[in-house]
């Protein structure tokens, strides 16, 4: 069983982390910002699913793969930076990220 962090607003991932596992921050509705270090090489499926308060995210150049639905239902997302290093992106990456279209 994982740690419940559903009320956290800001997340800083330690620089010893190499992978954000599947559903790691799923349903953490209060997260508005997250810092991903250069040590991370992959983001799992549904990693940030339903992080509906998340407004922006910068994916570092070290990341090479992003799983399906990684940012599903991140409805407040207005900015995302995906570097050229990402060679694998899962389906439905940004479902219901309607603010990105504005």
């Amino acid at each position: 069983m994982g740690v419940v962090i559903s009320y956290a607003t800001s997340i800083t991932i330690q620089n010893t982390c190499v992978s954000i596992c599947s559903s790691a921050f799923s349903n953490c509705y209060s997260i508005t910002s997250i810092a991903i270090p250069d040590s991370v090489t992959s983001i799992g499926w549904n990693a940030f699913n339903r992080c509906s308060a998340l407004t922006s995210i910068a994916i570092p150049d070290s990341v090479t793969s992003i799983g399906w639905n990684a940012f599903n239902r991140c409805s407040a997302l207005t900015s995302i930076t995906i570097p050229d290093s990402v060679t694998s992106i899962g389906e439905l990456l940004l479902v219901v990220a309607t603010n990105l279209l504005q």
Side-chain angles (χ1 to χ4, degrees), residues 5-100:
I5 57 171
S6 60
Y7 297 106
T9 58
S10 179
I11 300 292
T12 300
I13 298 172
Q14 295 181 355
N15 61 7
T16 55
C17 178
V18 295
S19 179
I20 299 172
C21 66
S22 299
S23 301
F25 299 99
S26 185
N27 297 315
C28 292
Y29 306 109
S30 301
I31 294 176
T32 58
S33 66
I34 188 154
I36 301 175
D38 290 336
S39 59
V40 172
T41 59
S42 66
I43 298 172
W45 56 270
N46 280 339
F48 300 98
N49 179 44
R50 296 181 186 247
C51 290
S52 55
L54 185 64
T55 57
S56 67
I57 191 159
I59 299 170
D61 290 336
S62 56
V63 173
T64 58
S65 68
I66 301 172
W68 63 273
N69 278 352
F71 301 100
N72 182 39
R73 298 189 185 270
C74 293
S75 54
L77 199 58
T78 58
S79 172
I80 186 168
T81 302
I82 300 175
D84 291 337
S85 60
V86 174
T87 56
S88 173
I89 297 178
E91 293 181 22
L92 305 174
L93 177 67
L94 296 164
V95 174
V96 192
T98 54
N99 289 322
L100 285 174

